[in-house]
Every structure is written in structure tokens, then in C-alpha cells.
Amino acid sequence: MKKIVSSLFLVLMVTFSFAQETMTFEANVINKNGDVLFIKENRVIVKEIKVDDKGAFKATFPIKEGLYQLFDGVEYAQLYLKNGYNLKMTLDGKMFDESIKFDGEGSKENNFLAKQAMEEQKYPYDQVLTMDEENFKKAVEEKRTTDNKKFEAAGLDVKLLEVLKKSAEMNLAGLTKYYNQISANKKLNNIQSPNFVYENHAGGKTSLESLKGKYVYIDVWATWCGPCRAEIPSLKTLEESMQGKNIEFVSISVDVEKDYEKWKDFVKDKSLGGTQLIADNNWSSDFIKAFGINSIPRFILIDPTGKVVDADAKRPSNPKLKEQLEGLLK
């Protein structure tokens, strides 16, 4: 009898230990965007959960405690996972952020993250970025206080609480850095633009001085830059719509010397329009440094006299850019 009890106790202990060293994730998804759910840590896929023959997703696996991203092939959501959790998620692929809900162990933390994501989308970042310095600092401090109170009141896992506070501080630091960059860019507006003399893909060299008499819309980019490439279709469409008008579209590549041939081939293979130039010393070129460019894509609009209209102009994919240009080119 003692042996039977001991064996049963051992089985229970092994089962309990296994449960504590793994977690279970289930998902009921309608209007699926794909047949696989990916759990990612930054760019690394740590788990793939395939849909079963009943249309459900379910898996049990070990996980390192922390923040992860759920990717359904189209949309992302943030997850907080740890061993011992038994999460059941419901989701509508057509109303991703609005529909995501969790039940089971760990649901409190993950429902909080889903709600937080929705609230962050509604926060008026664009409005805050237009404030004067004093009001911007007040807005940042108010957001810091509000976020910390909300985190503390939620009764979250201690480690998640620490991560959220750290993430919120990093977000505010990034917002402040962006605000400072915008403020610096505004100081460049209405001043005479520095000149450049860069190699033209079509042959010879082209200077900004030679383009006086026209508006000049400058795209600073590089062949390796994904967001830069994403703007190319919109830029082409914009160029076509502005044909015959008093504006020159100039693209300046900051590709490094070893990628020179890559730039040449890219412009040719993608049939890029406008005036295609390459900076003489990539990021260290005088023109690039004069505008404080440390991230791309970056767009600059210059008037026919050579004065800067907007040192941080709207992207081609922004419909307001076309409205602005049409107003100037009447």
C-alpha cells in the first residue's frame, strides 16, 4: 500500500513540476488571417501554433517569463507569458485590437496589455508634438504620472509591472527626443538652404543651386532602408501627378561607398524617377549634417529662391503633402 501511495505521490509531483515548467496557450480565432499563430521575441519566433482540424489553436510549451508579440500573419499584439499560465484567447481577425480577450491564468496581465494598447492608440501624440516647450514638458509629466498610477492600481505581476514602467519611460524618452528633433528642424525653416553638389545617376553632377527657380522636394534615403523603399510607390505616383509643374523631385542616397553599385542597380532596376543623386560622404556629407539627419527616410521641401519651406516635410504616402504642393504650385 505504501508503495502504491508513494508511486502516486511521485506521479503527482512530476505532473505538477511539468505544469509549472510549461504554459498552455489556446486561441479561438474567427476571420483568421492565417493558419499559424507566431509567438515572437523581437524578431525571433519562439513558438509556432498551427490551427487544428477543428479550427482551434492550442499548444503547451516552456517559456521564459517576459513580454512577447503575437503575430497572426497580419497584425501584432503584445503578450506577457510565463510558465504556469493557462491562457485562453478569443480574437476576431477583422477587428484585431478591439476584439482580443483572455481568460484563464495570466488573463489579468494580458487583458491589461490589450487595453493599454488601445489607449496608447488614442493618446494625442500628434497634438502633444505641436505644443510649446513648457506645455510639452507638462504633458510628458502628466502622462508619466497617469501611466504609473494605472500600472500600480492594476495589481499586475511584479515583473510585468517593472517592465511596463521601464517601457513607459523609454517611450517618453523617445517622444522627447523626437520633439527636440522637430523643434530643431523648425529652426531651419525659412532660412537659405545649404547647397549640395552630388553625383547624378544619369551622369555628371547636380547642385541644389542649379535647381533654383523650382520647388525642390528632397527624399533622403538608402537602398537598405525598408521604410524608405515603402515610400517609393507613393513617391512615383506623386511625381506622375505633378508632371509639368514647377517642382523637381530629388532623391539623395546616403548609401556607403561599398554599396555604390547596389545603389546604381537599384535605381535602374526599380525605374526610379526624378533626379537620383548619391551623397558624397553618406551620413557625414555637409548637406546631411546641416539638416541634422540621423534617421531616414527624411523629406525636405525647398522653395524656388532656395529657402527651406519645411525641413521635415510630409512623406509621399501622406495625402496632406499633395494638398500642400498643389497649394504652392497654383
Side-chain angles (χ1 to χ4, degrees):
M1 182 66 180
K2 286 183 179 180
K3 289 183 178 179
I4 294 174
V5 172
S6 297
S7 297
L8 181 59
F9 179 75
L10 180 61
V11 169
L12 288 172
M13 286 299 293
V14 170
T15 302
F16 177 77
S17 176
F18 177 75
Q20 292 302 304
E21 293 175 359
T22 62
M23 66 158 290
T24 299
F25 185 90
E26 297 180 51
N28 180 14
V29 183
I30 61 173
N31 298 313
K32 300 191 306 294
N33 289 318
D35 290 332
V36 182
L37 294 178
F38 301 91
I39 295 177
K40 303 175 71 175
E41 185 176 21
N42 298 318
R43 296 183 180 180
V44 179
I45 297 172
V46 298
K47 186 66 181 178
E48 294 183 16
I49 306 175
K50 297 180 179 179
V51 68
D52 62 23
D53 54 6
K54 296 180 181 179
F57 299 85
K58 184 174 181 179
T60 298
F61 50 93
I63 196 78
K64 179 180 69 176
E65 183 176 357
L67 282 177
Y68 295 86
Q69 298 82 43
L70 175 74
F71 180 55
D72 74 341
V74 176
E75 300 272 9
Y76 280 92
Q78 201 167 44
L79 298 177
Y80 183 71
L81 305 178
K82 63 186 288 188
N83 290 330
Y85 274 6
N86 184 14
L87 274 177
K88 297 179 176 67
M89 182 187 77
T90 56
L91 173 67
D92 182 342
K94 290 184 178 179
M95 299 178 62
F96 193 89
D97 293 326
E98 297 86 352
S99 67
I100 190 166
K101 291 183 181 178
F102 297 91
D103 288 306
E105 184 66 26
S107 60
K108 178 169 63 175
E109 283 73 17
N110 285 282
N111 281 324
F112 180 87
L113 289 176
K115 182 180 178 183
Q116 175 72 2
M118 289 292 293
E119 290 177 354
E120 279 294 303
Q121 289 178 25
K122 295 176 182 177
Y123 186 78
Y125 284 106
D126 289 344
Q127 181 181 336
V128 170
L129 288 168
T130 63
M131 293 177 175
D132 59 37
E133 187 173 357
E134 182 180 353
N135 285 314
F136 174 79
K137 288 181 178 178
K138 285 181 180 177
V140 167
E141 192 53 42
E142 285 174 5
K143 188 170 189 341
R144 175 180 289 113
T145 301
T146 300
D147 283 347
N148 284 333
K149 284 182 178 178
K150 182 169 53 178
F151 298 157
E152 292 286 355
L156 302 171
D157 182 284
V158 174
K159 187 169 181 179
L160 175 58
L161 182 62
E162 292 176 358
V163 170
L164 285 173
K165 286 183 176 181
K166 183 178 179 180
S167 178
E169 282 301 319
M170 290 175 64
N171 179 49
L172 291 177
L175 181 65
T176 301
K177 182 178 179 180
Y178 187 41
Y179 177 82
N180 291 337
Q181 182 63 58
I182 290 173
S183 298
N185 291 340
K186 286 180 179 177
K187 293 177 182 177
L188 296 171
N189 292 345
N190 300 313
I191 68 169
Q192 201 69 20
S193 172
N195 189 34
F196 60 69
V197 182
Y198 292 150
E199 179 183 342
N200 191 318
H201 188 275
K205 293 189 175 184
T206 298
S207 68
L208 182 58
E209 286 284 340
S210 69
L211 300 175
K212 275 190 175 180
K214 294 183 177 181
Y215 281 96
V216 181
Y217 181 74
I218 298 172
D219 168 17
V220 181
W221 71 294
T223 56
W224 50 263
C225 170
C228 301
R229 295 196 302 269
E231 291 292 329
I232 290 174
S234 297
L235 181 57
K236 283 185 173 183
T237 300
L238 184 64
E239 289 172 356
E240 290 171 4
S241 71
M242 295 284 169
Q243 278 187 359
K245 296 192 176 182
N246 192 39
I247 185 168
E248 189 82 13
F249 291 91
V250 177
S251 295
I252 300 175
S253 166
V254 289
D255 279 297
V256 296
E257 187 177 352
K258 71 179 181 62
D259 290 330
Y260 174 77
E261 291 300 328
K262 183 180 178 182
W263 166 71
K264 295 276 286 186
D265 292 340
F266 189 96
V267 171
K268 181 180 178 181
D269 294 344
K270 301 298 181 182
S271 301
L272 301 189
T275 300
Q276 296 291 328
L277 310 178
I278 188 165
D280 55 7
N281 196 19
N282 51 80
W283 295 95
S284 297
S285 300
D286 290 342
F287 182 81
I288 303 301
K289 290 196 297 183
F291 279 91
I293 299 174
N294 51 30
S295 63
I296 51 176
R298 173 75 173 275
F299 302 93
I300 302 166
L301 181 60
I302 297 171
D303 77 7
T305 69
K307 282 187 177 180
V308 179
V309 176
D310 195 340
D312 191 10
K314 298 173 182 62
R315 296 184 176 207
S317 57
N318 187 334
K320 291 184 178 180
L321 173 63
K322 187 176 181 181
E323 292 177 16
Q324 179 188 23
L325 295 180
E326 287 177 338
L328 293 170
L329 294 166
K330 283 181 179 179

